Each structure stands twice: as structure tokens, then as C-alpha cells.
Amino acid sequence: MLILHRITKKLLHMIRRSIFDIIKKQLFKSKVILVFGARRVGKTYLCKEIIKEMGGTYYNCELSQVYEALNSSNQNDLFQLLKDQKLVVFDEAQTVPKIGIKLKVMVDHFPNVQIIATGSSAFELRDATSEPLTGRSRTYILHPFSMEEVAMNSSLFEAQTHLDTILRFGLYPQVFKQSDMEMREELFDISSNYLYKDILHFGQVKKPELIQEILKLLALQIGNEVSLNELSKITQTSIHTIKRYINLLEQTYVITSLKSYSTNARKELGKSKKYYFNDLGIRNAIINNFNPLSLRNDVGNLWENFCMIERIKYNNNNRNFINPYFWRNYDQQEIDLIEESGGSIKAFEFKYKENQKTKIPNAFVKLYGNVEFKKINKQNYMSFVTSIV
């Protein structure tokens, strides 16, 4: 009864996702809909909401009977899953070997059946589907809740009242609006039992403990360029292994990288990267620090990570196809975010406090002219991460 009550309570806090209507518009166009995202961000709930509204059948590919039918060499077993169907969801499809080829066969034989496949690991599902489904698919990323989704389902005022809590506990669906204790327990559960599940399941790593060590080091460096040489020395691991593990963490949607913006000017950083956590609650769980902001010395880092990821969510959910970068030169002049689109660029600097002064670096202006520049702080951030201000 207690477990049922807890699940019911969490479902009451589910928020209508921005990509729900985007996906609906793409249905029944003879395309497989691929939905990627980390485990526990709400892919299953999203798909079941689509089924509830449109009708259809849901299959969990991690269940043995579904897995065996999809993995069967007999095409009739495959076709039975689609027979007399209008819409079919294959959840966690990355668990099925050669799933891309199987989805192609199903689309070719049942062009009028809408297929939706979800996956929590891009290195399995995206690689498996990229070639077989060329021209036959549409791909979408589901993140944890966005500030825009929170605001659209309540109000701007309510969304803003949760800001300090979000900087500490993030926006995972099962975490949002719970008590402090429940949020901690949920985040520790996600970070220990789900975060690396696909990497470990598919045998992509030989040293699971190295993942935690790398993530802790990245968690302490958000907002700074990451030196792979330094990570290699600290962990006593080859740079090749560090690169591979970081790539796997990106492809399971734990972290996001940001490249440096450069036109090969002599004093610009050309190949550096920064890494941000797709959810701050996960970041804080990894370093075991959920302290109130008044007791922390990393508020500036939290704010930069928050602004960066919320902007990525905003652009993704609103189908703004932007190329994001950071900029820094060897004289330590920097800009947190550069957005490039259609040959034009915008520049943004993230400052938690409104009275923190900042201006566009002179070196950048000399190279690129007077581009649009804006400081993002607690007073104006909602217009940066939502379209409803």
C-alpha cells in the first residue's frame, strides 16, 4: 500500500511534456519515431500518454517474452506484434540485438502502423538504427523536466519559487516537488542503480568504479575546460580510456559536452571542451552535497550548469536548431555560451547575482564585431529558458 501510494503521488506530479505535441504531429507519416533520453526521465510515461490519447499497444523490450519475439529468426513472430495494430511502442528497444534492421522490416511490411521506439543509450539504439532507418525515422530527445514545462503547467511565479530547490535537487520527474528526504533517496537510487545500467549491461566498461571517479572529477569542474591529461594522471588511466568513458556517459545522457568556439585565431582555444550534467540533482548526488545554497561555495557553478542545460532543453523542445559553444582565449577572456545559427551569433554570460558586472570581452569584439550580448542572472533568466514570459 505504501509503495502504491508513493507511485500514485509521483504520477500526480507528472507534467505534460513539450515534445508530446511535436511527436503527435509526426505520427502516421511512415516514419519510426525514436525517443532517446536517460533512464527515469519519463520516456515510458510519455509513450503511454500518447497511447492513451491515440490508441495503441505498449511493449517493454526488457520483458523476456517481448525480447524473444523481437529477437526471433522467424519473421512471423515479429509480425504478430504488429498485426491489427494502429500504433505500437517498443520501450527500451536498445536491449534487442539488431533492432534497427528489425524496425526496418516492420516499417516495410506494415507502413500504416506507427512505430515508436525508445532508448536510454544512444551508443546502442542510435548506432543500431542509423543505417537501416535512413530516411525512415524522426529522432527526439527527452530530458528531465524543463523550467518551461514547469511554468506552462503551473505559472511563472510557481516555477521561480522552486529555483533554489532545483539547483540542489534537479528536475527528474520522480524527484520534483517531493520532500527533501524523498528527493535525496530518489536521486541516490537513480545515480547508483540506473545511471550506468546500459554501459554496464552492454559490457562497455571494465572498471565500473572508474565511471564514478571520472564523474566526481567532472562534477567539480563544471564551468571549466576539462584537461584529459589531468584526468588521466589523477585516475592513473590512459587518455584513450578516459575519452571512451566520457563518450559513453554522453551517449547515456548523463553529461553534455560543449566545444570551444574558434575561427583558428592564434590566441583562441581551439579544441577544448566543457562538460555539464544533464541534471543538477544527479551532479549533487555524485558528490553527496545537497546543502542549501547559503552554505555552498559552488553556487556560480550550479548556476552556469543550470542556465546551460535549461537553454539546451528550451532549444530542443522548441525545435530551435542552434550550435552551442563556449569561448575563451589564452588571455583568460571568456564567454559562457555562444549560439550560432544561420551565420549569426549571440553571446551570453551567466551570473547568479544581479549586481555582478560583466561585459563582452574586447578580444572577442575585435574578432567578431559587436554581436548581441546578454548577462543571464536570477532576475531575467526565465525569458532565456522559456517562451512564455
Side-chain angles (χ1 to χ4, degrees):
M1 182 65 70
L2 178 62
I3 294 174
L4 178 61
H5 171 73
R6 189 178 181 189
I7 293 172
T8 304
K9 183 179 179 183
K10 287 176 181 174
L11 290 180
L12 288 173
H13 294 306
M14 291 303 292
I15 290 174
R16 185 177 178 90
R17 309 309 300 268
S18 294
I19 69 169
F20 181 93
D21 292 318
I22 296 171
I23 290 174
K24 271 182 61 179
K25 291 177 182 177
Q26 295 299 321
L27 296 177
F28 304 107
K29 295 183 179 180
S30 299
K31 304 280 187 182
V32 175
I33 301 294
L34 301 174
V35 182
F36 294 100
R39 287 183 178 268
R40 304 287 290 274
V41 295
K43 298 186 300 296
T44 299
Y45 183 88
L46 171 72
C47 290
K48 288 185 176 180
E49 286 297 292
I50 292 173
I51 288 173
K52 187 186 298 184
E53 187 165 320
M54 306 297 296
T57 302
Y58 170 85
Y59 294 112
N60 182 349
C61 297
E62 293 183 312
L63 296 179
S64 59
Q65 59 267 40
V66 177
Y67 177 90
E68 288 167 8
L70 286 169
N71 200 33
S72 172
S73 58
N74 186 344
Q75 283 193 350
N76 288 330
D77 293 336
L78 204 62
F79 295 159
Q80 280 298 118
L81 297 172
L82 276 70
K83 187 179 179 182
D84 301 322
Q85 298 294 336
K86 172 186 176 184
L87 183 151
V88 173
V89 170
F90 294 109
D91 202 6
E92 300 297 350
Q94 81 278 353
T95 60
V96 181
K98 299 180 180 179
I99 185 62
I101 294 172
K102 298 176 190 302
L103 291 174
K104 178 185 180 299
V105 170
M106 287 190 277
V107 171
D108 289 345
H109 285 80
F110 295 86
N112 295 322
V113 177
Q114 177 61 62
I115 298 173
I116 300 175
T118 81
S120 52
S121 65
F123 61 83
E124 286 295 329
L125 184 55
R126 192 186 295 275
D127 289 349
T129 58
S130 59
E131 200 169 311
L133 291 180
T134 299
R136 293 181 172 87
S137 64
R138 291 284 183 269
T139 299
Y140 302 94
I141 306 296
L142 186 66
H143 295 275
F145 290 154
S146 68
M147 287 298 284
E148 183 171 50
E149 288 170 332
V150 173
M152 289 178 69
N153 285 270
S154 54
S155 68
L156 284 174
F157 175 77
E158 183 179 352
Q160 289 178 295
T161 60
H162 291 291
L163 178 61
D164 285 7
T165 301
I166 289 167
L167 290 175
R168 295 167 60 204
F169 296 103
L171 279 164
Y172 260 80
Q174 297 91 342
V175 172
F176 185 59
K177 284 190 174 183
Q178 303 300 314
S179 69
D180 276 22
M181 182 176 292
E182 287 177 321
M183 287 190 287
R184 290 169 192 262
E185 288 186 6
E186 198 69 55
L187 285 166
F188 282 131
D189 182 45
I190 294 171
S191 63
S192 60
N193 296 327
Y194 292 91
L195 207 56
Y196 328 116
K197 184 174 181 178
D198 292 308
I199 299 175
L200 301 176
H201 177 74
F202 293 107
Q204 298 288 327
V205 299
K206 295 180 180 178
K207 301 177 181 178
E209 69 281 358
L210 182 58
I211 297 175
Q212 262 304 346
E213 190 174 1
I214 291 172
L215 279 174
K216 284 183 180 179
L217 292 169
L218 293 178
L220 298 171
Q221 296 188 57
I222 52 177
N224 300 308
E225 300 104 82
V226 172
S227 167
L228 298 183
N229 282 322
E230 183 181 343
L231 293 183
S232 175
K233 289 177 182 177
I234 293 173
T235 60
Q236 297 184 328
T237 307
S238 71
I239 290 180
H240 172 75
T241 299
I242 295 291
K243 283 182 178 179
R244 191 168 73 85
Y245 279 27
I246 287 178
N247 184 50
L248 291 172
L249 289 166
E250 275 203 81
Q251 292 191 69
T252 47
Y253 305 98
V254 179
I255 58 176
T256 291
S257 67
L258 200 66
K259 296 179 181 178
S260 58
Y261 185 79
S262 173
T263 54
N264 295 317
R266 185 170 61 85
K267 289 191 174 183
E268 289 182 308
L269 300 180
K271 296 183 180 179
S272 297
K273 282 188 178 182
K274 291 184 181 182
Y275 294 92
Y276 296 93
F277 282 76
N278 289 340
D279 185 77
L280 279 172
I282 295 298
R283 183 264 182 179
N284 291 330
I286 287 168
I287 63 173
N288 194 18
N289 184 355
F290 295 108
N291 289 338
L293 300 189
S294 60
L295 301 177
R296 304 182 71 123
N297 60 7
D298 62 351
V299 175
N301 303 93
L302 294 175
W303 183 247
E304 181 173 336
N305 197 123
F306 168 80
C307 290
M308 194 69 69
I309 293 302
E310 286 304 312
R311 184 66 170 183
I312 289 171
K313 293 177 189 175
Y314 168 78
N315 284 329
N316 175 68
N317 291 339
N318 289 280
R319 314 312 290 161
N320 298 327
F321 300 103
I322 303 292
N323 298 315
Y325 305 92
F326 75 94
W327 179 85
R328 184 173 292 171
N329 65 14
Y330 288 106
D331 295 327
Q332 300 304 306
Q333 293 180 304
E334 61 182 317
I335 297 174
D336 290 332
L337 175 63
I338 299 291
E339 289 188 341
E340 185 275 327
S341 178
S344 65
I345 58 177
K346 297 178 181 179
F348 303 94
E349 190 71 15
F350 305 130
K351 300 295 183 185
Y352 181 69
K353 295 179 181 178
E354 186 181 8
N355 59 2
Q356 286 181 274
K357 294 182 179 181
T358 186
K359 66 176 185 177
I360 191 166
N362 291 330
F364 187 85
V365 174
K366 287 180 181 178
L367 286 170
Y368 304 108
N370 274 312
V371 304
E372 182 179 332
F373 177 76
K374 193 171 185 179
K375 179 178 71 173
I376 307 300
N377 56 40
K378 278 186 68 177
Q379 303 303 314
N380 66 2
Y381 76 96
M382 287 302 283
S383 63
F384 179 68
V385 300
T386 78
S387 57
I388 57 178
V389 176

